[in-house]
Amino acid sequence: MRGASRECSVRFPVSDKGASITWRGAKKEVSGVALVVAQKAPTSSTMAVPHGPAGVGAARRRMREELLGYGTPEAVVDDAVLVLSELLSNAYRHARPLGAGNFVYAAWGRTEDGGVRVSVTDGGGPTRPRLANPSVTARGGRGLSIITSLARDWGVRNGDDPDEVTVWAVVPPGEGGFDPSMDFDLVDLEDFA
């Protein structure tokens, strides 16, 4: 076969001269081959969050944007964002900021099975985080119960500094939402208006 290109028995034409690709200033001759470079994108983040309500919204927005960018299902992202919000709110209400700064650390990332791990590290408080059993009329005390219903696991660990405490949770992959085995008695909210 004569000419600048010949038809190969496969689907792609092969050139006698080869393809010329310039890559970072170097010229590489390739004949009938496509060069693909894949870079593994980071799938976790850590951010310093101001110790107080002002930083919670920024952390939630950043987490949502990043997790959706990783291809995490929206229902799982919704659950992870709610868990982060509860953990940051608990740190604000019940713990001190870290060190001399006025911040806590929030971290999140994908698990190998497609779930999301979430953690908040603060300066500790007068008590360890634990589940509460608030009355129906109590204004608070439900944060860790919400986390328990959304996460497949959660816990508390001490940091390197004796005052540093991290509360973490793992949101499972899947459809998201409350575990159907949880028995909730949802009351019509209009009764409270």
Side-chain angles (χ1 to χ4, degrees), residues 144-169:
L144 289 177
S145 294
I146 292 169
I147 291 168
T148 299
S149 67
L150 294 174
R152 73 171 161 224
D153 198 12
W154 72 272
V156 181
R157 69 175 178 266
N158 292 326
D160 296 334
D161 181 318
D163 292 330
E164 192 175 280
V165 174
T166 298
V167 182
W168 57 270

Side-chain angles (χ1 to χ4, degrees), residues 65-179:
E65 179 181 304
E66 289 181 5
L67 290 176
L68 289 172
Y70 302 152
T72 308
E74 192 166 355
V76 176
V77 172
D78 290 343
D79 289 352
V81 167
L82 180 54
V83 167
L84 176 68
S85 184
E86 291 297 331
L87 291 176
L88 285 171
S89 296
N90 285 349
Y92 164 59
R93 289 185 185 105
H94 305 293
R96 294 177 296 276
L98 288 166
N102 194 27
F103 63 90
V104 298
Y105 282 120
W108 56 85
R110 295 284 304 266
T111 60
E112 286 188 19
D113 66 355
V116 178
R117 72 182 171 283
V118 183
S119 66
V120 171
T121 303
D122 57 45
T127 61
R128 299 275 292 178
R130 61 180 173 78
L131 280 172
N133 192 10
S135 71
V136 175
T137 58
R139 291 185 173 262
R142 293 174 185 82
L144 289 177
S145 294
I146 292 169
I147 291 168
T148 299
S149 67
L150 294 174
R152 73 171 161 224
D153 198 12
W154 72 272
V156 181
R157 69 175 178 266
N158 292 326
D160 296 334
D161 181 318
D163 292 330
E164 192 175 280
V165 174
T166 298
V167 182
W168 57 270
V170 179
V171 176
E175 299 302 313
F178 286 102
D179 182 345

Side-chain angles (χ1 to χ4, degrees), residues 53-64:
V56 177
R60 286 192 316 237
R61 284 187 295 278
R62 179 173 161 188
M63 176 194 235
R64 174 176 296 286

